[in-house]
PDB file of all heavy atoms in Angstrom:
ATOM      1  N   LYS A   1     178.057 115.443 145.474  1.00  0.00           N
ATOM      2  CA  LYS A   1     179.362 115.898 145.958  1.00  0.00           C
ATOM      3  C   LYS A   1     179.335 117.373 146.337  1.00  0.00           C
ATOM      4  O   LYS A   1     178.649 118.179 145.713  1.00  0.00           O
ATOM      5  CB  LYS A   1     180.438 115.682 144.893  1.00  0.00           C
ATOM      6  CG  LYS A   1     180.764 114.226 144.619  1.00  0.00           C
ATOM      7  CD  LYS A   1     181.887 114.112 143.607  1.00  0.00           C
ATOM      8  CE  LYS A   1     182.233 112.651 143.337  1.00  0.00           C
ATOM      9  NZ  LYS A   1     183.327 112.533 142.347  1.00  0.00           N
ATOM     10  N   PHE A   2     180.124 117.702 147.370  1.00  0.00           N
ATOM     11  CA  PHE A   2     180.350 119.091 147.755  1.00  0.00           C
ATOM     12  C   PHE A   2     181.845 119.274 147.957  1.00  0.00           C
ATOM     13  O   PHE A   2     182.459 118.606 148.782  1.00  0.00           O
ATOM     14  CB  PHE A   2     179.586 119.433 149.041  1.00  0.00           C
ATOM     15  CG  PHE A   2     179.759 120.863 149.475  1.00  0.00           C
ATOM     16  CD1 PHE A   2     179.087 121.881 148.819  1.00  0.00           C
ATOM     17  CD2 PHE A   2     180.606 121.194 150.534  1.00  0.00           C
ATOM     18  CE1 PHE A   2     179.230 123.209 149.211  1.00  0.00           C
ATOM     19  CE2 PHE A   2     180.755 122.513 150.934  1.00  0.00           C
ATOM     20  CZ  PHE A   2     180.075 123.523 150.262  1.00  0.00           C
ATOM     21  N   LYS A   3     182.434 120.162 147.143  1.00  0.00           N
ATOM     22  CA  LYS A   3     183.889 120.376 147.153  1.00  0.00           C
ATOM     23  C   LYS A   3     184.633 119.058 146.998  1.00  0.00           C
ATOM     24  O   LYS A   3     185.546 118.732 147.771  1.00  0.00           O
ATOM     25  CB  LYS A   3     184.309 121.108 148.430  1.00  0.00           C
ATOM     26  CG  LYS A   3     183.783 122.541 148.514  1.00  0.00           C
ATOM     27  CD  LYS A   3     184.339 123.293 149.712  1.00  0.00           C
ATOM     28  CE  LYS A   3     183.856 124.748 149.689  1.00  0.00           C
ATOM     29  NZ  LYS A   3     184.380 125.531 150.845  1.00  0.00           N
ATOM     30  N   ASP A   4     184.197 118.299 146.006  1.00  0.00           N
ATOM     31  CA  ASP A   4     184.828 117.020 145.616  1.00  0.00           C
ATOM     32  C   ASP A   4     184.708 115.921 146.673  1.00  0.00           C
ATOM     33  O   ASP A   4     185.334 114.869 146.555  1.00  0.00           O
ATOM     34  CB  ASP A   4     186.312 117.219 145.273  1.00  0.00           C
ATOM     35  CG  ASP A   4     186.511 118.091 144.048  1.00  0.00           C
ATOM     36  OD1 ASP A   4     185.665 118.002 143.128  1.00  0.00           O
ATOM     37  OD2 ASP A   4     187.479 118.879 144.021  1.00  0.00           O
ATOM     38  N   LYS A   5     183.893 116.140 147.700  1.00  0.00           N
ATOM     39  CA  LYS A   5     183.679 115.098 148.694  1.00  0.00           C
ATOM     40  C   LYS A   5     182.260 114.579 148.575  1.00  0.00           C
ATOM     41  O   LYS A   5     181.310 115.360 148.567  1.00  0.00           O
ATOM     42  CB  LYS A   5     183.920 115.641 150.109  1.00  0.00           C
ATOM     43  CG  LYS A   5     183.741 114.576 151.189  1.00  0.00           C
ATOM     44  CD  LYS A   5     184.021 115.143 152.573  1.00  0.00           C
ATOM     45  CE  LYS A   5     183.846 114.066 153.636  1.00  0.00           C
ATOM     46  NZ  LYS A   5     184.124 114.584 155.005  1.00  0.00           N
ATOM     47  N   GLU A   6     182.115 113.249 148.481  1.00  0.00           N
ATOM     48  CA  GLU A   6     180.780 112.673 148.312  1.00  0.00           C
ATOM     49  C   GLU A   6     179.994 112.726 149.619  1.00  0.00           C
ATOM     50  O   GLU A   6     180.419 112.205 150.638  1.00  0.00           O
ATOM     51  CB  GLU A   6     180.882 111.224 147.834  1.00  0.00           C
ATOM     52  CG  GLU A   6     179.511 110.609 147.535  1.00  0.00           C
ATOM     53  CD  GLU A   6     179.599 109.208 146.959  1.00  0.00           C
ATOM     54  OE1 GLU A   6     179.865 109.090 145.748  1.00  0.00           O
ATOM     55  OE2 GLU A   6     179.438 108.247 147.742  1.00  0.00           O
ATOM     56  N   VAL A   7     178.844 113.375 149.554  1.00  0.00           N
ATOM     57  CA  VAL A   7     177.930 113.452 150.694  1.00  0.00           C
ATOM     58  C   VAL A   7     176.809 112.436 150.533  1.00  0.00           C
ATOM     59  O   VAL A   7     176.362 111.831 151.509  1.00  0.00           O
ATOM     60  CB  VAL A   7     177.351 114.876 150.824  1.00  0.00           C
ATOM     61  CG1 VAL A   7     176.398 114.966 152.013  1.00  0.00           C
ATOM     62  CG2 VAL A   7     178.461 115.902 150.962  1.00  0.00           C
ATOM     63  N   MET A   8     176.349 112.247 149.287  1.00  0.00           N
ATOM     64  CA  MET A   8     175.308 111.265 148.968  1.00  0.00           C
ATOM     65  C   MET A   8     175.731 110.517 147.711  1.00  0.00           C
ATOM     66  O   MET A   8     176.303 111.123 146.797  1.00  0.00           O
ATOM     67  CB  MET A   8     173.961 111.970 148.736  1.00  0.00           C
ATOM     68  CG  MET A   8     173.390 112.686 149.935  1.00  0.00           C
ATOM     69  SD  MET A   8     171.947 113.718 149.518  1.00  0.00           S
ATOM     70  CE  MET A   8     172.755 115.112 148.698  1.00  0.00           C
ATOM     71  N   PRO A   9     175.452 109.216 147.616  1.00  0.00           N
ATOM     72  CA  PRO A   9     175.838 108.459 146.422  1.00  0.00           C
ATOM     73  C   PRO A   9     175.024 108.883 145.199  1.00  0.00           C
ATOM     74  O   PRO A   9     173.826 109.169 145.320  1.00  0.00           O
ATOM     75  CB  PRO A   9     175.548 107.007 146.801  1.00  0.00           C
ATOM     76  CG  PRO A   9     174.564 107.082 147.912  1.00  0.00           C
ATOM     77  CD  PRO A   9     174.844 108.358 148.653  1.00  0.00           C
ATOM     78  N   PRO A  10     175.657 108.936 144.010  1.00  0.00           N
ATOM     79  CA  PRO A  10     174.936 109.334 142.788  1.00  0.00           C
ATOM     80  C   PRO A  10     173.711 108.460 142.509  1.00  0.00           C
ATOM     81  O   PRO A  10     172.705 108.947 141.981  1.00  0.00           O
ATOM     82  CB  PRO A  10     175.993 109.189 141.691  1.00  0.00           C
ATOM     83  CG  PRO A  10     177.296 109.309 142.407  1.00  0.00           C
ATOM     84  CD  PRO A  10     177.080 108.697 143.752  1.00  0.00           C
ATOM     85  N   SER A  11     173.781 107.175 142.865  1.00  0.00           N
ATOM     86  CA  SER A  11     172.647 106.278 142.621  1.00  0.00           C
ATOM     87  C   SER A  11     171.420 106.724 143.411  1.00  0.00           C
ATOM     88  O   SER A  11     170.284 106.651 142.928  1.00  0.00           O
ATOM     89  CB  SER A  11     173.017 104.843 143.002  1.00  0.00           C
ATOM     90  OG  SER A  11     173.410 104.769 144.372  1.00  0.00           O
ATOM     91  N   TYR A  12     171.634 107.220 144.629  1.00  0.00           N
ATOM     92  CA  TYR A  12     170.521 107.710 145.433  1.00  0.00           C
ATOM     93  C   TYR A  12     169.977 109.005 144.847  1.00  0.00           C
ATOM     94  O   TYR A  12     168.750 109.194 144.782  1.00  0.00           O
ATOM     95  CB  TYR A  12     170.955 107.935 146.879  1.00  0.00           C
ATOM     96  CG  TYR A  12     169.895 108.639 147.690  1.00  0.00           C
ATOM     97  CD1 TYR A  12     168.744 107.967 148.094  1.00  0.00           C
ATOM     98  CD2 TYR A  12     170.017 109.989 148.009  1.00  0.00           C
ATOM     99  CE1 TYR A  12     167.749 108.622 148.805  1.00  0.00           C
ATOM    100  CE2 TYR A  12     169.030 110.653 148.719  1.00  0.00           C
ATOM    101  CZ  TYR A  12     167.899 109.963 149.108  1.00  0.00           C
ATOM    102  OH  TYR A  12     166.912 110.615 149.803  1.00  0.00           O
ATOM    103  N   ILE A  13     170.865 109.879 144.419  1.00  0.00           N
ATOM    104  CA  ILE A  13     170.432 111.147 143.825  1.00  0.00           C
ATOM    105  C   ILE A  13     169.483 110.886 142.662  1.00  0.00           C
ATOM    106  O   ILE A  13     168.412 111.506 142.548  1.00  0.00           O
ATOM    107  CB  ILE A  13     171.648 111.965 143.337  1.00  0.00           C
ATOM    108  CG1 ILE A  13     172.531 112.388 144.528  1.00  0.00           C
ATOM    109  CG2 ILE A  13     171.196 113.183 142.545  1.00  0.00           C
ATOM    110  CD1 ILE A  13     171.963 113.462 145.389  1.00  0.00           C
ATOM    111  N   ARG A  14     169.866 109.968 141.780  1.00  0.00           N
ATOM    112  CA  ARG A  14     169.050 109.678 140.592  1.00  0.00           C
ATOM    113  C   ARG A  14     167.675 109.156 140.980  1.00  0.00           C
ATOM    114  O   ARG A  14     166.658 109.539 140.387  1.00  0.00           O
ATOM    115  CB  ARG A  14     169.775 108.682 139.687  1.00  0.00           C
ATOM    116  CG  ARG A  14     170.963 109.269 138.938  1.00  0.00           C
ATOM    117  CD  ARG A  14     171.458 108.319 137.851  1.00  0.00           C
ATOM    118  NE  ARG A  14     172.019 107.099 138.428  1.00  0.00           N
ATOM    119  CZ  ARG A  14     173.303 106.954 138.780  1.00  0.00           C
ATOM    120  NH1 ARG A  14     174.136 107.977 138.629  1.00  0.00           N
ATOM    121  NH2 ARG A  14     173.745 105.831 139.285  1.00  0.00           N
ATOM    122  N   GLU A  15     167.618 108.238 141.950  1.00  0.00           N
ATOM    123  CA  GLU A  15     166.320 107.690 142.366  1.00  0.00           C
ATOM    124  C   GLU A  15     165.465 108.721 143.073  1.00  0.00           C
ATOM    125  O   GLU A  15     164.252 108.800 142.862  1.00  0.00           O
ATOM    126  CB  GLU A  15     166.539 106.484 143.285  1.00  0.00           C
ATOM    127  CG  GLU A  15     166.945 105.212 142.562  1.00  0.00           C
ATOM    128  CD  GLU A  15     166.671 103.992 143.408  1.00  0.00           C
ATOM    129  OE1 GLU A  15     165.487 103.612 143.517  1.00  0.00           O
ATOM    130  OE2 GLU A  15     167.630 103.433 143.963  1.00  0.00           O
ATOM    131  N   ALA A  16     166.085 109.530 143.918  1.00  0.00           N
ATOM    132  CA  ALA A  16     165.337 110.494 144.718  1.00  0.00           C
ATOM    133  C   ALA A  16     164.663 111.549 143.860  1.00  0.00           C
ATOM    134  O   ALA A  16     163.586 112.043 144.212  1.00  0.00           O
ATOM    135  CB  ALA A  16     166.260 111.158 145.735  1.00  0.00           C
ATOM    136  N   ILE A  17     165.274 111.908 142.724  1.00  0.00           N
ATOM    137  CA  ILE A  17     164.678 112.944 141.874  1.00  0.00           C
ATOM    138  C   ILE A  17     163.995 112.339 140.646  1.00  0.00           C
ATOM    139  O   ILE A  17     163.723 113.039 139.672  1.00  0.00           O
ATOM    140  CB  ILE A  17     165.716 114.005 141.461  1.00  0.00           C
ATOM    141  CG1 ILE A  17     166.821 113.394 140.602  1.00  0.00           C
ATOM    142  CG2 ILE A  17     166.295 114.692 142.688  1.00  0.00           C
ATOM    143  CD1 ILE A  17     167.784 114.443 140.049  1.00  0.00           C
ATOM    144  N   SER A  18     163.716 111.046 140.721  1.00  0.00           N
ATOM    145  CA  SER A  18     162.934 110.371 139.677  1.00  0.00           C
ATOM    146  C   SER A  18     161.553 110.047 140.224  1.00  0.00           C
ATOM    147  O   SER A  18     161.381 109.827 141.428  1.00  0.00           O
ATOM    148  CB  SER A  18     163.619 109.076 139.230  1.00  0.00           C
ATOM    149  OG  SER A  18     164.885 109.337 138.680  1.00  0.00           O
ATOM    150  N   SER A  19     160.562 109.991 139.361  1.00  0.00           N
ATOM    151  CA  SER A  19     159.187 109.761 139.795  1.00  0.00           C
ATOM    152  C   SER A  19     159.035 108.395 140.452  1.00  0.00           C
ATOM    153  O   SER A  19     159.325 107.366 139.838  1.00  0.00           O
ATOM    154  CB  SER A  19     158.226 109.879 138.603  1.00  0.00           C
ATOM    155  OG  SER A  19     158.227 111.186 138.089  1.00  0.00           O
ATOM    156  N   GLN A  20     158.560 108.397 141.689  1.00  0.00           N
ATOM    157  CA  GLN A  20     158.286 107.176 142.429  1.00  0.00           C
ATOM    158  C   GLN A  20     156.792 106.995 142.679  1.00  0.00           C
ATOM    159  O   GLN A  20     156.325 105.887 142.871  1.00  0.00           O
ATOM    160  CB  GLN A  20     159.016 107.208 143.780  1.00  0.00           C
ATOM    161  CG  GLN A  20     160.509 107.433 143.690  1.00  0.00           C
ATOM    162  CD  GLN A  20     161.246 106.257 143.097  1.00  0.00           C
ATOM    163  OE1 GLN A  20     160.785 105.116 143.163  1.00  0.00           O
ATOM    164  NE2 GLN A  20     162.414 106.514 142.507  1.00  0.00           N
ATOM    165  N   MET A  21     156.046 108.112 142.650  1.00  0.00           N
ATOM    166  CA  MET A  21     154.613 108.065 142.928  1.00  0.00           C
ATOM    167  C   MET A  21     153.929 109.225 142.227  1.00  0.00           C
ATOM    168  O   MET A  21     154.439 110.349 142.231  1.00  0.00           O
ATOM    169  CB  MET A  21     154.360 108.155 144.442  1.00  0.00           C
ATOM    170  CG  MET A  21     152.934 107.861 144.859  1.00  0.00           C
ATOM    171  SD  MET A  21     152.480 106.140 144.522  1.00  0.00           S
ATOM    172  CE  MET A  21     150.735 106.149 144.883  1.00  0.00           C
ATOM    173  N   VAL A  22     152.798 108.948 141.607  1.00  0.00           N
ATOM    174  CA  VAL A  22     152.033 110.008 140.949  1.00  0.00           C
ATOM    175  C   VAL A  22     151.320 110.830 142.018  1.00  0.00           C
ATOM    176  O   VAL A  22     150.585 110.294 142.843  1.00  0.00           O
ATOM    177  CB  VAL A  22     151.005 109.423 139.961  1.00  0.00           C
ATOM    178  CG1 VAL A  22     150.114 110.520 139.409  1.00  0.00           C
ATOM    179  CG2 VAL A  22     151.716 108.702 138.826  1.00  0.00           C
ATOM    180  N   ASN A  23     151.564 112.121 142.012  1.00  0.00           N
ATOM    181  CA  ASN A  23     150.886 113.032 142.930  1.00  0.00           C
ATOM    182  C   ASN A  23     149.559 113.470 142.337  1.00  0.00           C
ATOM    183  O   ASN A  23     148.511 113.346 142.957  1.00  0.00           O
ATOM    184  CB  ASN A  23     151.780 114.236 143.230  1.00  0.00           C
ATOM    185  CG  ASN A  23     151.147 115.195 144.218  1.00  0.00           C
ATOM    186  OD1 ASN A  23     150.118 114.914 144.821  1.00  0.00           O
ATOM    187  ND2 ASN A  23     151.768 116.346 144.392  1.00  0.00           N
ATOM    188  N   SER A  24     149.588 113.985 141.134  1.00  0.00           N
ATOM    189  CA  SER A  24     148.374 114.385 140.429  1.00  0.00           C
ATOM    190  C   SER A  24     148.493 113.960 138.975  1.00  0.00           C
ATOM    191  O   SER A  24     149.450 114.312 138.293  1.00  0.00           O
ATOM    192  CB  SER A  24     148.188 115.904 140.517  1.00  0.00           C
ATOM    193  OG  SER A  24     147.106 116.318 139.714  1.00  0.00           O
ATOM    194  N   GLY A  25     147.514 113.188 138.500  1.00  0.00           N
ATOM    195  CA  GLY A  25     147.567 112.673 137.137  1.00  0.00           C
ATOM    196  C   GLY A  25     146.859 113.537 136.120  1.00  0.00           C
ATOM    197  O   GLY A  25     146.624 113.106 134.994  1.00  0.00           O
ATOM    198  N   MET A  26     146.499 114.763 136.510  1.00  0.00           N
ATOM    199  CA  MET A  26     145.757 115.634 135.603  1.00  0.00           C
ATOM    200  C   MET A  26     146.642 116.120 134.455  1.00  0.00           C
ATOM    201  O   MET A  26     147.820 116.387 134.639  1.00  0.00           O
ATOM    202  CB  MET A  26     145.214 116.844 136.371  1.00  0.00           C
ATOM    203  CG  MET A  26     144.224 116.497 137.463  1.00  0.00           C
ATOM    204  SD  MET A  26     142.710 115.774 136.800  1.00  0.00           S
ATOM    205  CE  MET A  26     142.012 117.208 135.975  1.00  0.00           C
ATOM    206  N   PRO A  27     146.061 116.244 133.242  1.00  0.00           N
ATOM    207  CA  PRO A  27     146.827 116.786 132.109  1.00  0.00           C
ATOM    208  C   PRO A  27     147.017 118.293 132.276  1.00  0.00           C
ATOM    209  O   PRO A  27     146.411 118.914 133.159  1.00  0.00           O
ATOM    210  CB  PRO A  27     145.920 116.476 130.916  1.00  0.00           C
ATOM    211  CG  PRO A  27     144.547 116.439 131.486  1.00  0.00           C
ATOM    212  CD  PRO A  27     144.701 115.866 132.868  1.00  0.00           C
ATOM    213  N   PRO A  28     147.859 118.930 131.443  1.00  0.00           N
ATOM    214  CA  PRO A  28     148.079 120.373 131.542  1.00  0.00           C
ATOM    215  C   PRO A  28     146.776 121.146 131.395  1.00  0.00           C
ATOM    216  O   PRO A  28     145.879 120.756 130.647  1.00  0.00           O
ATOM    217  CB  PRO A  28     149.036 120.669 130.378  1.00  0.00           C
ATOM    218  CG  PRO A  28     149.689 119.362 130.080  1.00  0.00           C
ATOM    219  CD  PRO A  28     148.676 118.310 130.387  1.00  0.00           C
TER     220      PRO A  28
END
């Protein structure tokens, strides 16, 4: 939301910023 108006659905936000693919599997 921006100024109380939905620009993107919350369900998409959650998926988009959740891991979908491992980029690098190296440990710290």
Side-chain angles (χ1 to χ4, degrees):
K1 291 183 179 180
F2 181 76
K3 293 186 176 180
D4 295 325
K5 181 179 180 179
E6 185 176 280
V7 180
M8 296 171 285
S11 58
Y12 171 74
I13 295 287
R14 287 192 294 271
E15 283 200 75
I17 64 174
S18 298
S19 296
Q20 305 291 335
M21 191 65 188
V22 173
N23 182 9
S24 173
M26 297 295 291

